[in-house]
Amino acid sequence: MSCRVPFLILVCVLALPMDVSARGRYVVVNGQVLGPAAVARLDRAACARIPDGRYWIDMRSGVWGYEGGVPQGRVGDNCQQRRKSLSERGLLYSPGELMR
């Protein structure tokens, strides 16, 4: 998975700050209060529901943390899933099976 995709999504999310009052979510990223649509896009980019709070995100590397705190991880870390094996996908054959 390309590392650039989550960061491009974050750039779009941060470009659209909105009013806090809608839906009761309070998420602040790099000093910008995000509205419900921006928070929803950030949730999708992170593959998880972002809890209310104040965060910082390094837009170059995707590293994030709580405001005033140390790095906690990278945006999209929850998106990485193990690819199923050939046998799990039903693509593993017995020797000679394809020759029959």
Side-chain angles (χ1 to χ4, degrees):
M1 181 174 158
S2 174
C3 293
R4 292 184 180 192
V5 174
F7 307 121
L8 292 176
I9 293 170
L10 284 174
V11 169
C12 293
V13 167
L14 294 176
L16 299 171
M18 298 178 196
D19 184 25
V20 171
S21 61
R23 286 201 183 172
R25 302 267 317 258
Y26 181 73
V27 177
V28 178
V29 176
N30 294 344
Q32 296 272 343
V33 177
L34 303 184
V39 172
R41 286 190 294 272
L42 184 58
D43 287 345
R44 283 192 300 275
C47 296
R49 184 178 190 281
I50 305 300
D52 290 351
R54 301 179 67 88
Y55 305 93
W56 58 265
I57 297 175
D58 181 332
M59 300 306 284
R60 287 182 183 264
S61 65
V63 173
W64 71 272
Y66 298 103
E67 190 174 281
V70 298
Q72 298 291 312
R74 292 185 187 274
V75 173
D77 279 350
N78 293 331
C79 299
Q80 298 173 358
Q81 297 177 358
R82 182 184 71 83
R83 186 172 180 191
K84 290 184 177 180
S85 69
L86 290 174
S87 60
E88 289 171 322
R89 290 183 277 158
L91 299 175
L92 191 62
Y93 299 98
S94 301
E97 184 176 353
L98 296 175
M99 300 297 213
R100 293 182 199 166

